Amino acid sequence: MAKAKTIHTCTECGGQTLKWQGQCPHCTAWNTLVETIAEKSSGSRYQSVAEASKLQKLADVEAREEPRRPTGIDELDRVLGGGLVTGAVVLIGGDPGIGKSTLLLQALAILGASCNAIYVSGEESAQQIALRARRLAVDASALNLLAEIQLEKVLSVLTAQKPDVAVIDSIQTVYSEALQSAPGSVAQVRECAAQLTRFAKSSGTSLLLVGHVTKEGALAGPRVLEHMVDAVLYFEGDTHSSFRLVRAVKNRFGAVNELGVFAMTERGLRGISNPSALFLSHHETQVAGSCVMVTQEGSRPLLVEVQALVDEAHAPNPRRLSVGLEPNRLAMLLAVLHRHAGIAAFDQDVFVNAVGGVKIDEPAADLPVLLAIVSSLRNRPLPEKLVAFGEIGLAGEVRPVQRGQERLREAAKLGFKLAIIPKANAPRTAIEGIEVVSVERVEEAVARVR
Ligand code: TYD
Ligand code: MG
């Protein structure tokens, strides 16, 4: 096969050069030129996968529900929005060893029994996969296996087999002959993903791509991968604990931020359908610097303990560290605490942590984090059986969050007795078993836990 001509394209401005250079000559950005296949003059490479488009009224377009194929794993289906959509491409990212291959093998073993499923593995040999299937005790006898990393060969098998579902494990190991760069490089990942996506759209195969995550937590390879695919799922969780969370950060066919919760057992990943109490650490007696919050993950409320440690700083620049919570918001909260509640922490190191390796990015964590900080600073535990949620604004106001009632009801169900929440979230009728304290301002909230 003749080598296709390659060219270097800038990821910022799209400018092209024949040779690689450190700086793009068009937009002067550094290190943005990546190798791509030179476009043929016919332009067929970028032909749309849809049929030739004609102008039409939106009302004339038949809006039918995409047919979904449930994977048979309830928690995965929940994240996907009900199942795999025909022709959809789903990217699954996560740290190495977190359970991506395990989950997909479990799903494909179930799917393989009712439809044509292919597992393409570039990371493990067929024997290793067979061994894992045996450990998982799944019946994968009907599953088709392909140990191959060359894109052209993978595509020819897929084209011949026309599977209903295919897994590529992983996109970083696949390489195309047409490019000279090494497998896993930005150019290879992008080109392979683009070709596979085109195949999925034209054939109707549901495609699951596994992607590795770099140390910084971003998907290795270009961000453009996230734009190309229909859904992006991330594995979260502490590899030291047995809980794994699968979060949808993008989903064209379902709700985003839906969360699937699993436990890693010796028989693979097991779904947890009622995870609300999973992220509470059970203290014998109440300790200082700990506050339980109710976060809303997709359609389910989840109770998470946030911890803070405030300690005298011995360096000129006090440390601010947050695990599982937004670091910038921590700095903001400390400023609000000083300005509006008169509590200074500029000479203190502040550490905050969300228990269980869960990542919370909703602003409802503001109030609980603030209360935990105050509790640690005063070295006095918060009231027993307390939950809190609420967003804090720069003016010191406590803003409402979505679905306050649902959060309160879940907390009451788990035996919490007291809730400090934003005024606008206060329920009109009392919720049985829980006393609700609604506050408008930060200083009020701080005064309530004295
Ligand atoms: P794996 O799915 O190979 O991770 P990834 O594909 O994301 O890199 O997960 C492997 C880890 O899971 C490994 O550390 C062992 C553990 N594991 C179990 O605890 N139980 C099991 O049944 C299996 C198959 C793996
Ligand atoms: Mg793997």
Side-chain angles (χ1 to χ4, degrees):
M1 194 178 109
K3 279 248 152 68
K5 263 186 87 174
T6 63
I7 200 163
H8 289 84
T9 309
C10 174
T11 52
E12 294 291 321
C13 70
Q16 297 186 323
T17 59
L18 284 175
K19 284 216 184 82
W20 185 83
Q21 297 175 25
Q23 186 181 26
C24 171
H26 305 280
C27 68
T28 68
W30 287 95
N31 294 325
T32 54
L33 290 172
V34 294
E35 190 188 27
T36 48
I37 297 174
E39 208 173 322
K40 290 188 206 82
S41 51
S42 68
S44 62
R45 217 173 92 74
Y46 290 112
Q47 216 168 46
S48 163
V49 290
E51 289 165 28
S53 42
K54 58 182 187 315
L55 205 58
Q56 52 189 339
K57 289 267 186 286
L58 187 57
D60 300 338
V61 181
E62 192 195 349
R64 56 186 152 79
E65 275 289 316
E66 301 284 339
R68 283 181 191 272
R69 189 188 299 279
T71 61
I73 298 178
D74 291 343
E75 289 294 301
L76 183 59
D77 286 338
R78 167 192 291 280
V79 188
L80 288 169
L84 288 166
V85 174
T86 313
V89 182
V90 180
L91 180 68
I92 300 187
D95 292 333
I98 201 153
K100 301 180 293 294
S101 308
T102 306
L103 180 64
L104 291 179
L105 187 60
Q106 283 179 276
L108 274 209
I110 299 170
L111 282 169
S114 61
C115 68
N116 185 3
I118 296 188
Y119 190 101
V120 182
S121 177
E123 303 211 324
E124 289 160 287
S125 65
Q127 288 92 320
Q128 279 173 307
I129 295 169
L131 211 63
R132 179 188 309 225
R134 207 167 68 193
R135 264 189 67 187
L136 294 172
V138 290
D139 177 23
S141 46
L143 184 62
N144 298 303
L145 209 60
L146 177 68
E148 180 58 65
I149 57 172
Q150 198 196 313
L151 179 72
E152 286 74 16
K153 289 186 186 160
V154 171
L155 279 175
S156 75
V157 172
L158 290 182
T159 313
Q161 293 286 323
K162 296 196 178 59
D164 301 306
V165 184
V167 165
I168 310 289
D169 188 1
S170 66
I171 188 70
Q172 271 96 0
T173 52
V174 184
Y175 76 98
S176 165
E177 282 281 271
L179 294 178
Q180 275 133 40
S181 37
S185 64
V186 173
Q188 285 283 8
V189 169
R190 193 159 68 164
E191 178 61 26
C192 292
Q195 293 216 29
L196 286 165
T197 306
R198 225 169 299 150
F199 165 77
K201 299 288 167 209
S202 60
S203 68
T205 300
S206 304
L207 205 60
L208 293 147
L209 306 177
V210 173
H212 289 289
V213 160
T214 60
K215 277 217 186 69
E216 291 75 43
L219 218 50
R223 285 308 287 252
V224 55
L225 221 56
E226 292 189 359
H227 299 291
M228 231 182 306
V229 300
D230 297 306
V232 181
L233 310 185
Y234 270 108
F235 256 98
E236 280 174 20
D238 202 345
T239 26
H240 306 294
S241 86
S242 65
F243 298 115
R244 302 284 186 276
L245 307 175
V246 180
R247 191 191 294 273
V249 293
K250 163 182 175 178
N251 195 349
R252 285 186 187 149
F253 304 109
V256 83
N257 260 341
E258 195 63 76
L259 201 69
V261 184
F262 295 92
M264 180 64 96
T265 66
E266 62 274 22
R267 284 278 169 93
L269 289 162
R270 194 169 46 77
I272 298 177
S273 53
N274 189 9
S276 53
L278 215 58
F279 300 100
L280 301 176
S281 57
H282 299 279
H283 303 291
E284 292 276 301
T285 55
Q286 193 70 4
V287 294
S290 146
C291 182
V292 175
M293 74 164 294
V294 196
T295 170
Q296 186 81 27
E297 291 298 347
S299 52
R300 288 184 299 193
L302 202 65
L303 279 89
V304 180
E305 179 181 338
V306 292
Q307 299 179 328
L309 177 68
V310 181
D311 191 26
E312 199 176 310
H314 288 285
N317 285 328
R319 308 233 312 146
R320 309 266 178 260
L321 195 82
S322 76
V323 181
L325 295 149
E326 184 74 45
N328 290 334
R329 287 199 88 86
L330 175 59
M332 189 202 90
L333 286 175
L334 290 173
V336 171
L337 190 63
H338 181 213
R339 186 72 171 69
H340 295 286
I343 298 175
F346 53 78
D347 53 352
Q348 307 280 332
D349 289 335
V350 181
F351 308 93
V352 295
N353 174 33
V355 168
V358 59
K359 281 201 191 73
I360 302 171
D361 49 12
E362 66 162 355
D366 290 353
L367 187 58
V369 168
L370 190 116
L371 292 176
I373 290 171
V374 170
S375 160
S376 176
L377 192 64
R378 292 174 174 164
N379 198 20
R380 222 177 300 152
L382 293 171
E384 263 185 51
K385 300 279 175 201
L386 169 80
V387 291
F389 56 83
E391 180 180 350
I392 288 175
L394 287 181
E397 80 278 20
V398 179
R399 288 207 212 110
V401 298
Q402 310 170 24
R403 303 166 101 159
Q405 304 273 319
E406 255 169 80
R407 298 185 203 231
L408 282 175
R409 248 175 265 129
E410 188 68 28
K413 207 170 88 191
L414 288 167
F416 286 86
K417 300 274 181 254
L418 178 64
I420 301 185
I421 63 165
K423 186 138 235 160
N425 279 128
R428 272 188 216 106
T429 54
I431 293 174
E432 201 182 323
I434 193 161
E435 185 198 338
V436 175
V437 174
S438 54
V439 293
E440 259 178 329
R441 302 203 42 87
V442 169
E443 49 274 34
E444 271 178 72
V446 172
R448 291 311 285 244
V449 297
R450 214 169 270 281

